[in-house]
Amino acid sequence: MKNKFKDNSQLIQLLQQVDKLLTLSPFADRQCNFMEICGTHTVSILKYGFRNYFKKRINFLSGPGCPVCVTSQKDIDKVISLAQMGVRIATFGDLIKVPGSKSSLEEQMALGKEVNVVYNPLDCLKIADETDEEVVFIAVGFETTIPVIASLILDAKKLRIENLSILPLMKTIPTALNFLLTNLENEIDGFICPGHVSVIIGERPYKIIPEKYGIPCVIAGFEPVDIGLAIESLVSQIRKHTPIVDNRYKRVVKEKGNISARRLIEEVFEKTDVEWRGFGEVPASGLKLREKFSKFDAEKKFNINVKSSPEPEGCICGEVIAGKKQPVECPLFAKKCTPDTPIGPCMVSYEGACSAFYKYGEE
Amino acid sequence: MDHILLSHGSGGKNSRKLLKFIYDSLGDIVINRGEDSGIAILQTDKLAITTDSYVIDPIFFPGGDIGKLSVCGTLNDLAMVGAIPKYLTLCFIIEENFPFNNLRKILYSIKEEAESAGIKIIAGDTKIVSKGKLDKIFINTTGYGIIEHSQEINSHNAQPGDAVIVTGDIGDHGAAIMAVRNDFESDLTSDCASVVPLIRKLLAENINIHTLRDPTRGGLASILNEIAISSSIDIELEKVKIPIKDSVNGICDILGIDPLYMACEGRAAIICPESEVGDILNILKETNDGKNACKIGNIVDKSKEPRVYLKTFIGARRILPLLSREQTPRIC
Amino acid sequence: MVPDDREKIEEKVCLAVPYRIISKHGIKAVADVFGIRKEIDIRILDDVNVNDYVLVHAGFAIQKLDQEAAKTTLDLLREISEEQI
């Protein structure tokens, strides 16, 4: 399939239009603050140069959109503690280098602990089947990943796999956005809503944002054309004072989302309060296993004893996630904290704002 | 006897058998057989010497193997100073139990590449180590070439106003290796090849070249950063002009890797005066290996803080940094 | 080079490239993206057929690509970019 989304002539015209609009009222004398919620949007915005293109007129803020980055220090310590107990850890690759308060999974691997990187959580079924050891999948993720994790639990139950469990660290996006707007001080002029979370949850959960807070939202994909159209939507909405949830990723985001996927989530999980890095505890923003699946809960299966621990000294990952600061404002950025020697999770994950800033360096 | 034994490195009867096996497989590209030193006959004032060790997983990959790579890689390093390759040394370190069949395939690849480049193997060595001490087979080659031109081709010689040309698609080798390692079934093949014929052609036509580099480990982005630093200059590339196959972009998307940092094993970056661009492209495009050659950017200015900039898809500019942590595993 | 699985995959969480379904069997299907073929899980999609394009996340097809809507997006781009301010 020839990808027309890769054609740049019309896009360049569009951006020139937007740039012109941004010199007119009501933008003339100020910068817009647009927050992107998905880490892949952060990467696209930097990689394709949107940040530099609109440098003077738009301030792009990275929100709580990278599942690894929003995981609290305490939860990372739980993961390390499980590895130290000698259970076999199965995880997405990004988590391996994230430093806990005393160690990282990478260090545990060097010490001989078993850590398996999986691409598809269902791979854990095979891993558990081939060993007698206890296997724990580190279940980080948002709505996009959660149906997959639910499938893992259902399959494990059906196949009667006894030596597999998950450490539930899943989080839900709309609750976090609501929390961000109610509890944290910021001046956000528009949200670029996460493309693939929206594939699952649809348009509706964002409606409260324009309706209650008057802030425009746009659901966007990840190609340069998608990002360009998203920016144009937010700028037009502000100009016309008509904040809505504009869906510009209709090719995969349906109004009602993916109902089958949400049914799977419902079947396996229920809401619970969880801690986010940068936010603290957010009511009903996470998921735990329903009672009938509780034997798959690693927290219940193993005696994980981890004290609450402070975030690394000097690290501002929490403020970056909350949209209060940019990675370059961190005293550690590109000095003490680099992808080789990460101090906070935002420098580790591919989706992390700091890693993206480092890799797609700004002028 | 199907597999290499430790005794094949003992110096005794089995060592002679292994040596014979190697000689038989390589044929008459090996000279000075059985002597403690090889004797080279060269008529030149200027000799280019380069050495490299090849460790790669997997040792056989679509488009080549460790044998082909160990010859082409070293020949390409000679080509990067405009040298004409003459001799190669060849050293193997082999893990115990390595199949003779695989060794034969590797030797045949070496023979084929050496023959087509018209070079001789002047000295060599074989060591066997016990199982688990290394991964299958490591190869070291040293290349000797003569320099007949009088140009100063080196990484300190890139000048403001110069053009940057690549001889073909970027990232093929790295992408092919990543596909195999991740068990992706795909059509990706490595670009592993000698660029000597391309460079010889350019030099034969008296093309003025300032700098040559092959974008192996770290890819195009890394070698251009190195040139920028060596020559104290800024480079600006245009993303849309850099030739990258859809399939390479595809696998990079899947794995979250930037193709500009992916290794090539049969490409060169050429930095030359803008006035030479037309001739270079005409010459390259006549060849099969150079048919996708194109100009991708320019040296913009002298700089105390040398950087490579990328003009992105939307016409914005961003830094293309030197990454300290390799995005890809070490693949060459 | 000794293989090092740890660095093997630096996964992107939100890959945007759609895969084309080549064959399906039960809740599994084989899909192709730029000549790379992978087995994917299609249990959370109703009514997926061979030759459909799907969006894949962590080994699961999470939505079918609506080609009509893709075209509309491109039309929108054309309209806006040609608009006179």
Side-chain angles (χ1 to χ4, degrees):
Chain A
M1 187 176 65
K2 181 74 192 157
N3 197 341
K4 293 216 178 96
F5 285 88
K6 302 276 186 199
D7 183 17
N8 73 348
S9 55
Q10 283 178 341
L11 176 60
I12 287 171
Q13 261 185 53
L14 171 90
L15 295 178
Q16 284 165 352
Q17 302 260 36
V18 174
D19 209 29
K20 218 189 277 173
L21 284 180
L22 286 168
T23 60
L24 309 172
S25 164
F27 308 105
D29 50 358
R30 68 181 193 99
Q31 253 193 333
C32 289
N33 292 315
F34 290 163
M35 177 180 270
E36 76 273 358
I37 314 299
C38 175
T40 307
H41 279 143
T42 308
V43 172
S44 287
I45 286 167
L46 283 159
K47 181 175 169 183
Y48 295 117
F50 286 96
R51 204 185 160 79
N52 284 342
Y53 191 98
F54 290 111
K55 202 164 191 175
K56 295 199 181 81
R57 313 200 184 282
I58 299 175
N59 182 30
F60 289 100
L61 299 162
S62 309
C66 151
V68 171
C69 305
V70 298
T71 304
S72 72
Q73 198 70 4
K74 188 178 175 183
D75 286 336
I76 300 287
D77 285 345
K78 282 184 191 170
V79 176
I80 314 276
S81 154
L82 276 168
Q84 285 168 330
M85 271 178 221
V87 304
R88 186 183 281 261
I89 303 286
T91 174
F92 292 128
D94 275 354
L95 261 173
I96 286 184
K97 273 188 168 244
V98 179
S101 37
K102 292 202 178 65
S103 177
S104 66
L105 274 185
E106 187 178 43
E107 212 173 283
Q108 293 302 316
M109 285 165 88
L111 293 170
K113 303 295 184 197
E114 292 287 350
V115 179
N116 291 65
V117 172
V118 294
Y119 160 70
N120 177 342
L122 291 192
D123 295 345
C124 298
L125 297 169
K126 204 169 151 225
I127 296 170
D129 190 45
E130 284 169 1
T131 176
D132 294 329
E133 294 168 43
E134 284 292 337
V135 177
V136 177
F137 175 67
I138 310 304
V140 295
F142 298 129
E143 286 90 335
T144 330
T145 319
I146 300 169
V148 180
I149 300 168
S151 304
L152 171 68
I153 299 296
L154 291 171
D155 283 6
K157 189 167 189 212
K158 201 161 84 189
L159 297 167
R160 298 191 183 166
I161 295 178
E162 302 287 333
N163 60 333
L164 177 67
S165 56
I166 66 167
L167 185 65
L169 304 175
M170 295 151 286
K171 297 178 176 60
T172 52
I173 287 287
T175 343
L177 294 187
N178 207 10
F179 183 86
L180 184 88
L181 290 169
T182 330
N183 298 59
L184 304 171
E185 272 177 40
N186 42 45
E187 288 169 17
I188 295 167
D189 297 303
F191 283 105
I192 300 176
C193 299
H196 295 163
V197 163
S198 307
V199 166
I200 305 297
I201 67 176
E203 299 172 9
R204 285 183 187 167
Y206 304 111
K207 294 228 157 116
I208 185 174
I209 299 174
E211 283 165 14
K212 184 171 165 196
Y213 301 98
I215 300 175
C217 289
V218 60
I219 298 171
F222 303 94
E223 296 291 346
V225 167
D226 293 317
I227 307 283
L229 284 170
I231 295 168
E232 191 277 336
S233 167
L234 292 180
V235 169
S236 300
Q237 289 187 51
I238 294 172
R239 210 166 148 249
K240 294 174 188 157
H241 307 289
T242 51
I244 53 163
V245 178
D246 189 7
N247 182 357
R248 293 208 158 166
Y249 199 27
K250 284 205 171 114
R251 60 187 189 274
V252 286
V253 176
K254 308 293 154 206
E255 192 194 346
K256 290 180 183 159
N258 182 331
I259 296 165
S260 309
R262 287 210 305 280
R263 246 185 240 132
L264 270 187
I265 300 177
E266 272 292 300
E267 187 180 347
V268 179
F269 300 111
E270 59 186 321
K271 282 184 179 158
T272 184
D273 306 344
V274 291
E275 195 185 331
W276 295 58
R277 189 180 295 255
F279 289 16
E281 190 165 281
V282 180
S285 67
L287 294 171
K288 63 176 183 185
L289 287 153
R290 289 189 182 275
E291 192 51 41
K292 61 176 169 177
F293 299 104
S294 65
K295 66 171 182 170
F296 294 106
D297 188 341
E299 291 241 43
K300 294 193 173 132
K301 201 167 187 176
F302 304 100
N303 184 19
I304 309 172
N305 196 0
V306 172
K307 287 194 201 85
S308 209
S309 45
E311 281 162 28
E313 210 183 314
C315 172
I316 63 160
C317 278
E319 287 162 279
V320 170
I321 295 161
K324 291 179 187 163
K325 283 193 176 160
Q326 297 286 4
V328 285
E329 293 175 60
C330 179
L332 307 177
F333 179 79
K335 296 189 182 84
K336 261 175 129 175
C337 184
T338 70
D340 278 324
T341 54
I343 289 173
C346 298
M347 187 55 95
V348 178
S349 172
Y350 175 86
E351 313 259 290
C354 299
S355 145
F357 267 72
Y358 189 92
K359 203 182 280 178
Y360 301 114
E362 274 191 277
E363 275 187 59
Chain B
M1 190 173 52
D2 302 325
H3 293 83
I4 301 265
L5 307 172
L6 271 180
S7 63
H8 283 113
S10 65
K13 263 189 184 168
N14 262 349
S15 286
R16 291 191 64 83
K17 274 188 190 159
L18 174 61
L19 210 58
K20 183 171 182 311
F21 179 85
I22 292 174
Y23 286 156
D24 288 351
S25 304
L26 291 176
D28 55 12
I29 61 162
V30 182
I31 55 171
N32 298 305
R33 295 179 181 216
E35 302 300 330
D36 279 350
S37 290
I39 295 169
I41 299 158
L42 296 167
Q43 269 128 17
T44 182
D45 300 337
K46 255 187 180 174
L47 185 63
I49 305 173
T50 185
T51 189
D52 209 343
S53 299
Y54 297 84
V55 293
I56 181 165
D57 173 59
I59 55 173
F60 297 98
F61 50 84
D65 59 46
I66 190 170
K68 183 176 182 184
L69 191 64
S70 67
V71 177
C72 293
T74 295
L75 292 182
N76 289 349
D77 282 348
L78 289 175
M80 293 306 104
V81 293
I84 296 164
K86 292 287 177 191
Y87 298 109
L88 205 65
T89 67
L90 181 61
C91 303
F92 294 103
I93 306 178
I94 307 174
E95 187 186 19
E96 179 187 13
N97 208 36
F98 189 76
F100 266 95
N101 264 341
N102 285 354
L103 182 60
R104 182 182 288 113
K105 280 190 221 160
I106 290 167
L107 289 166
Y108 283 167
S109 299
I110 291 172
K111 180 175 195 268
E112 196 180 325
E113 285 306 317
E115 274 174 353
S116 74
I119 52 160
K120 298 289 181 194
I121 296 192
I122 191 168
D125 180 46
T126 311
K127 292 280 183 292
I128 317 295
V129 297
S130 47
K131 190 121 186 80
K133 295 284 189 214
L134 62 79
D135 188 28
K136 301 179 194 78
I137 184 167
F138 293 175
I139 302 178
N140 171 278
T141 54
T142 299
Y144 300 82
I146 55 171
I147 294 179
E148 290 175 336
H149 62 83
S150 56
Q151 299 198 48
E152 288 288 326
I153 300 176
N154 60 57
S155 60
H156 296 83
N157 203 21
Q159 315 282 339
D162 281 0
V164 183
I165 291 171
V166 289
T167 60
D169 295 346
I170 291 304
D172 291 8
H173 177 76
I177 298 292
M178 295 299 271
V180 175
R181 283 197 185 166
N182 287 291
D183 295 323
F184 293 158
E185 200 188 310
S186 83
D187 311 324
L188 295 163
T189 50
S190 167
D191 54 331
C192 182
S194 161
V195 296
V196 173
L198 296 185
I199 304 300
R200 281 188 78 164
K201 256 186 140 164
L202 296 179
L203 291 170
E205 299 284 339
N206 282 320
I207 298 286
N208 184 1
I209 295 172
H210 287 162
T211 306
L212 288 169
R213 262 296 169 86
D214 54 340
T216 53
R217 202 160 66 204
L220 184 67
S222 302
I223 59 131
L224 290 180
N225 266 287
E226 284 159 19
I227 293 170
I229 292 165
S230 298
S231 296
S232 304
I233 42 133
D234 284 340
I235 300 177
E236 189 173 297
L237 305 179
E238 253 188 277
K239 181 65 179 45
V240 291
K241 293 200 174 150
I242 303 174
I244 302 171
K245 291 190 176 78
D246 277 352
S247 53
V248 171
N249 268 325
I251 192 168
C252 285
D253 257 353
I254 291 174
L255 296 171
I257 294 167
D258 190 335
L260 299 181
Y261 294 88
M262 292 269 257
C264 312
E265 287 294 345
R267 308 284 182 234
I270 301 168
I271 295 182
C272 61
E274 183 71 42
S275 56
E276 300 282 28
V277 172
D279 286 346
I280 292 182
L281 292 181
N282 284 339
I283 295 167
L284 291 177
K285 281 176 183 297
E286 278 173 16
T287 65
N288 195 41
D289 283 342
K291 63 177 186 292
N292 288 346
C294 52
K295 182 190 156 188
I296 58 169
N298 281 95
I299 312 296
V300 281
D301 226 332
K302 275 276 169 200
S303 174
K304 282 190 181 133
E305 214 183 319
R307 287 195 191 285
V308 180
Y309 294 98
L310 185 74
K311 212 170 148 200
T312 70
F313 185 78
I314 59 166
R317 205 166 88 137
R318 70 167 168 87
I319 294 170
L320 192 63
L322 194 59
L323 295 179
S324 54
R325 171 178 155 210
E326 275 181 273
Q327 289 196 109
T328 48
R330 291 160 66 98
I331 45 180
C332 46
Chain C
M1 165 71 203
V2 182
D4 184 346
D5 284 351
R6 279 175 289 174
E7 287 185 34
K8 214 158 79 168
I9 301 179
E10 199 182 347
E11 280 299 341
K12 276 175 77 169
V13 179
C14 293
L15 173 70
V17 188
Y19 290 50
R20 187 173 60 87
I21 303 278
I22 294 175
S23 63
K24 58 176 219 176
H25 30 99
I27 57 166
K28 304 281 182 187
V30 176
D32 171 291
V33 55
F34 298 116
I36 299 158
R37 283 164 288 280
K38 290 189 85 173
E39 191 184 68
I40 56 168
D41 198 301
I42 51 172
R43 75 177 77 179
I44 57 173
L45 279 190
D46 311 323
D47 187 31
V48 186
N49 297 308
V50 170
N51 285 330
D52 280 348
Y53 284 89
V54 293
L55 192 66
V56 175
H57 172 79
F60 275 59
I62 57 170
Q63 191 56 273
K64 270 208 292 196
L65 179 88
D66 180 341
Q67 306 225 36
E68 221 21 67
K71 212 179 135 280
T72 315
T73 303
L74 291 170
D75 289 345
L76 182 67
L77 170 70
R78 202 185 55 240
E79 279 164 33
I80 301 173
S81 65
E82 286 167 4
E83 219 170 75
Q84 296 296 320
I85 314 176

